[in-house]
Amino acid sequence: MTTLTSAPEATDLAGLVARRVPGFSLDAAFYTSQDVFDADLAAVWARCWIFVATEAEIREPGDFVTVDIGPHSVIVVRDDDEEVSALRNVCRHRGSRVLTERSGSVGNIVCGYHRWTYATDGTLLHAGDQAPTFDRSCFGLRRVHVRTVSGLIFVCLADEPPADVAELTSTIAPYLDPHQPLRTKVAAQHDLVEHANWKLVMENNRECYHCEGGHPELTCTFFPTYGYDRDAVPARLMPAHERYLAAEAELEAACLERGMAFAEVEALEEERVTAFRVQREALDGAGESYTLDGSVASRRLLGDFDTARLGRASVHTQPNAWFHFLSDHVVVFAVLPLAPDRTLVRTTWLVHEDAVEGEDYDLERLTQVWDHTNEEDGEFCARAQQGVGDPAYVPGPYSPSERQVESFAAWYVARLREELAR
């Protein structure tokens, strides 16, 4: 991997970081430079907790997914003790990729090159034709730190992962556990390659300034006033704001009656390596789910819910994920960097483990809102990538409703600053 110390001198990383003006978008090189992209991999992606999958994707022992984080490939597998393990996807013999499939199920993990065979916990079981002194115990697959919370799987490639993940897990679990995510299954998973730097994709997600005119399907239920201070809502959005206040009052009453967490917790300070935000908020329309009229997309509700009108328990984490837990389904998003100008957005929809497609839910109706929204966001981000690559680009100011974009940018620059100081 290219590190900060080995990056070409053509990009002055320290200068870019020092010149960053709070409240303004980043300099163009942050979005276009291969050197900065390599620095991002070292400073952010190889050091932070990264969301990679859900436990619903690996429900049975031997089930696995592989995830590429820059040049790093990781196997996430349900081992024989039914625990989630994360292993480097690099054979300990001569370095071959061990598993090449995106997902599947195995009894043991077998490298296809020379048939070195590993248990699902990474222990080397078989390596034929070795010298008598060969010690199998020294050559298991290298392990990767892994944490699970409410069915969400995070990995960290660092030798010493950030300890503040404990606050994330203890804070968000009360919001998500009532949905019983361990009793869900994957209904759909769609990958979209956006032609934009990963930070433009994340910045786009951290504001809804663009939603009013850009997301007609999403704003059927997602209030376009998201991000506005209550005393700064534009006059044109006041009708929506008044519906939001009424729906919020009803939702809070429903949560209090059921002992469910709903209050906003925003832990986005740049000092936090594992920064996050969680809140349960009301939805517009029927207030039940992400559909065009707001009614449920799956008749089989999650958990033990006695009502569908529970809004959305939404979480976002730095640097790469956001999640919406609804009464009838869960939708999760993972962002993974591919190149300075290409990013993978993986969207996964989960429904109750007993829900039946065609009876309890229609797949097109379930995925419609976010499929359209993702496509629209992909177009916005591609335009932004073209713009920041234009010589005429200079950083512009964030609006007050884009404060979470500023939080993301400040958090990101803080990670680069930490890396430069090492």
Side-chain angles (χ1 to χ4, degrees):
M1 171 192 294
T2 302
T3 66
L4 286 172
T5 54
S6 64
E9 294 180 358
T11 300
D12 177 13
L13 289 164
L16 279 172
V17 169
R19 289 195 298 273
R20 200 268 157 159
V21 178
F24 281 70
S25 58
L26 301 174
D27 281 354
F30 282 112
Y31 304 112
T32 61
S33 163
Q34 181 67 51
D35 296 339
V36 174
F37 181 76
D38 292 342
D40 290 353
L41 294 177
V44 176
W45 297 89
R47 292 195 178 277
C48 298
W49 287 98
I50 307 298
F51 170 70
V52 292
T54 64
E55 291 200 61
E57 295 169 68
I58 52 169
R59 286 166 59 96
E60 302 296 330
D63 289 353
F64 72 87
V65 297
T66 58
V67 181
D68 293 336
I69 305 172
H72 307 269
S73 182
V74 177
I75 301 168
V76 180
V77 59
R78 179 83 61 183
D79 66 23
D80 293 339
D81 294 325
E82 301 193 8
E83 299 295 326
V84 176
S85 291
L87 307 164
R88 295 277 186 171
N89 192 11
V90 179
C91 186
R92 293 300 306 279
H93 178 211
R94 285 168 51 192
S96 174
R97 277 282 178 265
V98 182
L99 296 178
T100 57
E101 301 87 356
R102 164 73 184 91
S103 63
S105 187
V106 294
N108 293 314
I109 300 172
V110 182
C111 178
Y113 194 3
H114 297 94
R115 310 301 295 175
W116 279 38
T117 301
Y118 305 88
T120 51
D121 65 357
T123 303
L124 179 61
L125 300 174
H126 175 73
D129 301 331
Q130 295 298 318
T133 56
F134 181 77
D135 183 354
R136 288 201 310 261
S137 67
C138 297
F139 295 97
L141 291 176
R142 295 176 62 193
R143 300 185 71 83
V144 175
H145 296 284
V146 61
R147 293 290 293 262
T148 62
V149 53
S150 303
L152 308 173
I153 302 173
F154 295 81
V155 302
C156 181
L157 299 168
D159 293 335
E160 296 183 8
D164 58 2
V165 70
E167 185 174 352
L168 166 72
T169 58
S170 65
T171 302
I172 69 173
Y175 292 79
L176 309 185
D177 284 349
H179 299 256
Q180 298 185 9
L182 298 183
R183 295 192 60 200
T184 62
K185 65 179 181 181
V186 176
Q189 185 171 79
H190 296 169
D191 284 357
L192 175 67
V193 175
E194 297 193 10
H195 294 274
N197 185 271
W198 69 273
K199 295 184 289 291
L200 290 175
V201 175
M202 294 306 301
E203 291 169 10
N204 176 73
N205 171 259
R206 295 306 190 240
E207 51 91 1
C208 215
Y209 189 22
H210 69 284
C211 292
E212 182 185 2
H215 292 316
E217 298 85 6
L218 181 64
T219 51
C220 289
T221 53
F222 194 98
F223 287 100
T225 50
Y226 181 83
Y228 286 94
D229 290 334
R230 295 194 175 197
D231 58 357
V233 176
R236 69 180 186 282
L237 294 179
M238 284 308 295
H241 183 55
E242 290 171 0
R243 292 199 308 276
Y244 169 77
L245 293 177
E248 277 288 283
E250 182 182 337
L251 175 64
E252 291 184 12
C255 290
L256 289 171
E257 180 182 347
R258 293 164 177 80
M260 297 173 62
F262 62 89
E264 174 188 14
V265 177
E266 193 163 284
L268 298 174
E269 302 90 339
E270 64 183 57
E271 295 80 11
R272 296 175 181 268
V273 180
T274 312
F276 66 96
R277 182 184 188 280
V278 61
Q279 185 177 13
R280 184 179 295 276
E281 290 189 90
L283 291 169
D284 207 350
E288 299 174 349
S289 193
Y290 280 130
T291 55
L292 296 183
D293 64 0
S295 62
V296 292
S298 175
R299 286 193 290 270
R300 184 67 189 255
L301 298 185
L302 302 178
D304 300 318
F305 293 142
D306 60 353
T307 178
R309 196 171 164 82
L310 293 172
R312 56 180 177 89
S314 298
V315 179
H316 73 236
T317 58
Q318 316 288 40
N320 83 314
W322 59 97
F323 320 98
H324 298 294
F325 282 59
L326 304 119
S327 63
D328 64 327
H329 74 277
V330 175
V331 57
V332 305
F333 305 81
V335 168
L336 296 167
L338 300 177
D341 60 352
R342 286 191 304 124
T343 302
L344 174 66
V345 177
R346 174 164 292 147
T347 306
T348 307
W349 290 262
L350 310 178
V351 296
H352 192 282
E353 60 184 355
D354 295 329
V356 178
E357 183 181 352
E359 295 181 12
D360 296 308
Y361 67 94
D362 175 80
L363 202 55
E364 182 176 353
R365 176 175 160 81
L366 178 71
T367 61
Q368 181 180 24
V369 167
W370 279 107
D371 271 346
H372 282 283
T373 301
N374 287 345
E375 290 174 5
E376 292 151 4
D377 280 335
E379 176 61 26
F380 288 135
C381 291
R383 291 185 200 174
Q385 184 71 35
Q386 291 173 336
V388 298
D390 190 301
Y393 167 73
V394 292
Y398 297 135
S399 79
S401 67
E402 294 175 298
R403 58 185 173 79
Q404 290 176 22
V405 183
E406 168 57 26
S407 295
F408 170 77
W411 175 91
Y412 160 72
V413 171
R415 303 290 80 72
L416 285 187
R417 193 179 298 118
E418 288 175 351
E419 191 72 9
L420 286 163
R422 287 190 175 93

